[in-house]
Amino acid sequence: MKQLVLVFIGGGFGSVLRYIIGKALNNTENGIPYGTFLANVLGSLLIGIILGIALKNNTLSNNQTLLLATGFCGGFTTFSTFAYENHVFLKAGDFTSFALYTIASFILGFLAVFFGMWLAKQF
């Protein structure tokens, strides 16, 4: 039960931060979801750092990893919103934005995880 509460708390904080970033950065004029993009890339970087530290130093407990990686990063990143925003691009016939947003999100997301893991090794 304690583990569920940790994931719940972390997810709540991550979701609230994602909402704030989305409100500040998602552009309603041209529809470019910069906030979602930033949350997904930052979340990928954070999970890379968190899990990298957990694996390298064994300094994070299972509960801390659940709170930070599963909870916070899981709540902060948002694949469902990403999928919906791509649906909107496709429905509008904006194939260029769809392609750029999708490819950039995947590439930068993966690179951010790898960079986070590399950063964790440096400490």
Side-chain angles (χ1 to χ4, degrees):
M1 185 59 131
K2 178 182 178 182
Q3 293 169 330
L4 291 175
V5 171
L6 290 170
V7 172
F8 175 78
I9 291 169
F13 280 111
S15 296
V16 168
L17 183 58
R18 181 188 70 229
Y19 173 77
I20 291 168
I21 290 172
K23 289 297 274 183
L25 299 178
N26 283 355
N27 188 327
T28 56
E29 289 179 19
N30 64 14
I32 304 294
Y34 295 113
T36 304
F37 179 75
L38 180 63
N40 286 334
V41 172
L42 279 178
S44 296
L45 176 64
L46 286 172
I47 204 166
I49 291 171
I50 292 163
L51 295 178
I53 290 171
L55 290 171
K56 177 187 175 203
N57 301 331
N58 240 1
T59 55
L60 294 178
S61 70
N62 185 46
N63 285 340
Q64 289 169 318
T65 303
L66 283 172
L67 174 74
L68 298 171
T70 306
F72 181 80
C73 290
F76 184 60
T77 59
T78 173
F79 188 77
S80 57
T81 302
F82 169 77
Y84 172 75
E85 289 162 347
N86 275 307
H87 164 77
V88 172
F89 285 140
L90 290 174
K91 189 173 180 180
D94 190 353
F95 300 109
T96 302
S97 292
F98 165 77
L100 290 173
Y101 182 50
T102 300
I103 292 167
S105 293
F106 280 115
I107 290 172
L108 289 176
F110 285 120
L111 289 175
V113 168
F114 290 120
F115 183 63
M117 298 291 283
W118 178 83
L119 278 177
K121 289 180 182 179
Q122 305 311 305
F123 296 108

